[in-house]
Amino acid sequence: MAVGRPGVGAALGAALLARLGLVLYGLHQDGAMRVRYTDVDYRVFTDAARLVTEGRSPYRRATYRYTPLLAWLLTPNVYLAEVFGKLLFVAGDLAAAVVAYRALRYRGAAAGQACGCCAVAWLLNPLPMAVSSRGNAEALVALLALATLHLAEAGSVGKAAVCYGLAVHVKIYPLTYALPIALHLQSRRGGGEGAVDTGCDKKAKFTFIAYLWQLFVKMLNRDVLLFATVAGSVLAALTLAFYHLYGWEFLEHAYLYHLTRRDIRHNFSPYFYMLYLTAESEWSFALGLAAFLPQLLLLLVVSIAFYRDLAFCCFLHTAIFVSFNKVCTSQYFVWYLCLLPLIMPSVKMSWRRGVLLLFLWFVGQGLWLAPAYFLEFKGYNTFLLIWLAGLLFLFINSLIIVQIISYYQKEPQVAKKLKQQ
């Protein structure tokens, strides 16, 4: 993002001031009020970083379910000041906007349009502001995910693979981007719009299975193999290094926990009530795994249908993954909001329709938060109402996804080479 441009510099400056103001306010609220502004996970991060400085495993801290790399990054919380991590996350938050701006410019958006999309969807969006200023690390994952997609679209396969390996290590959900990225890279090598060569027999139409087979065969090219090798090497190196240091507990808490997690606490997921009721059942584990099936099916369909536009495909991937996940909290929304600026110029719906969909999205959250408040703070049994509100929110999210797909019109654009300042 060329900060020399007045509009871009103003947006970044306003975003920085707003986030720093929230960080300062958080320090005040934490000291003066019963309800803390700082995310509970930030205390976990700091405690894990303190254990690392003492030469002990960060997994000695209960509920630390993250890569040790995060605890290492936050050791200045112990050596310098506890607020360091929040400032780091704010910096990652703003850097994600810079990468999104560059990606938009590469995709052909004008400077003013790119700046506006980043400002509206990310820089001045209250949700990313709150997430980073409260001490949540999602901004770092957003930065790595955006860098992966931008570099892959720009043809820097090796650099994209490094970012992707880091992203999957830090948070496992970008693993779902593997198929869209592979399909996109094979389409770039094949030329044109990524159409699949259906062979020499022009009389017979290819079946869907044959189409899938052709996609698979075409994925075995240099770019895909390079990406897989580099990304796999980065991920394997980090995994082996931390396994050597911390053993099985690293694999269990950083990776396996997130695959087998069954959170029976109230959240936005449509599955939470089922998992809550069957928590003691012998079928609980199997039901938790079965909850992945709708996700996998939808992600497969989206990958095959939209891989030619990598940013759009991965936005749909993330929105579907979050909406249909067996655990869903508000911080997960950041995972797809960071990709929203990349697709905004191509969503050709009226502003009235856009405002209506945004209104419905907030209404869905409000209807869920009301019974959740009475459960958490008043002790009322509102589990059924929370579940019904979660189902309504899933319907609203599905409606929004369908509307975005319906009004998405990617125009052929010539990539603009940005000048480095």
Side-chain angles (χ1 to χ4, degrees), residues 162-193:
V162 171
C163 292
Y164 184 70
L166 282 170
V168 174
H169 175 74
V170 173
K171 190 76 74 170
I172 203 167
Y173 84 88
L175 187 63
T176 65
Y177 297 169
L179 181 58
I181 291 174
L183 291 172
H184 182 77
L185 291 177
Q186 66 83 19
S187 72
R188 288 177 60 90
R189 293 290 291 181
E193 290 297 310

Side-chain angles (χ1 to χ4, degrees), residues 217-258:
V217 170
K218 279 188 166 288
M219 278 196 293
L220 302 178
N221 63 48
R222 187 181 68 85
D223 282 351
V224 176
L225 294 177
L226 173 64
F227 185 91
T229 301
V230 175
S233 298
V234 170
L235 182 59
L238 290 168
T239 300
L240 290 173
F242 286 127
Y243 180 77
H244 175 73
L245 290 173
Y246 304 116
W248 175 257
E249 62 180 358
F250 155 66
L251 296 179
E252 179 183 4
H253 294 293
Y255 294 145
L256 300 179
Y257 169 80
H258 300 283

